[in-house]
Amino acid sequence: MLITPDELGLGDGVDQAWAQADIGTVTARASIFAPSLHTLTGEFEKAAKGVLIDVVVRRYKTRNLLPGVSQSKAMGDRSTSSDTKDLPRALFWPEQITELQAICAAAATGGGPPVVAAVGAFPEPGRYPDPAERLPRWPV
């Protein structure tokens, strides 16, 4: 998956070298929790690319603070502070990680939802003996 600095939509005055470095960093880190990221095609690739572009743009704006962009605007709803020491250090937000993993899982299963066991699923009836039969019989 290749993202170019022009796809970031940051306009003129973008430091191409920094933007390309941010793209490389974000893509490499995303590959850790979404290993099949580089094998995606079609709509799955477009969806994953959109998430990665969001992360790259936020990182670029936060670091460079483009004219007219405050730190709180660069961070979205996650920060209201204008002090750089209070800015979140995480590159990806949890929902972005979940979204990228879901995209990779959907691509692996042919586009459907990932196949997983339901949480709290019960075994099929009759697989286990009746608990009442295992209790000791006490004299009455």
Side-chain angles (χ1 to χ4, degrees), residues 1 8-9 13 17 27 29 33 44-45 47 49 53 57 69 72 75 87 113:
M1 172 179 322
L8 300 179
T27 304
R29 288 189 182 175
F33 55 81
F44 298 111
E45 181 181 15
K49 200 175 203 181
I53 287 173
V57 168
V69 178
S72 61
M75 293 308 296
L87 290 175

Side-chain angles (χ1 to χ4, degrees), residues 9-109:
L10 295 172
D12 296 334
V14 172
D15 184 337
Q16 297 288 318
W18 275 108
Q20 195 60 50
D22 284 347
I23 290 168
T25 299
V26 166
T27 304
R29 288 189 182 175
S31 296
I32 293 169
F33 55 81
S36 63
L37 194 64
H38 298 290
T39 62
L40 298 176
T41 59
E43 296 300 315
F44 298 111
E45 181 181 15
K46 288 179 187 177
K49 200 175 203 181
V51 175
L52 294 178
I53 287 173
D54 290 345
V55 176
V56 172
V57 168
R58 186 179 69 245
R59 178 181 170 97
Y60 187 88
K61 285 182 177 181
T62 300
R63 186 192 316 85
N64 297 307
L65 294 176
L66 296 174
V69 178
S70 69
Q71 289 172 344
S72 61
K73 281 184 186 177
M75 293 308 296
D77 296 331
R78 303 291 174 146
S79 173
T80 56
S81 172
S82 62
D83 188 1
T84 57
K85 69 180 172 56
D86 291 335
L87 290 175
R89 300 290 181 223
L91 182 59
F92 291 90
W93 290 339
E95 58 268 18
Q96 290 169 324
I97 293 171
T98 303
E99 188 173 1
L100 286 171
Q101 289 173 335
I103 291 167
C104 289
T109 60

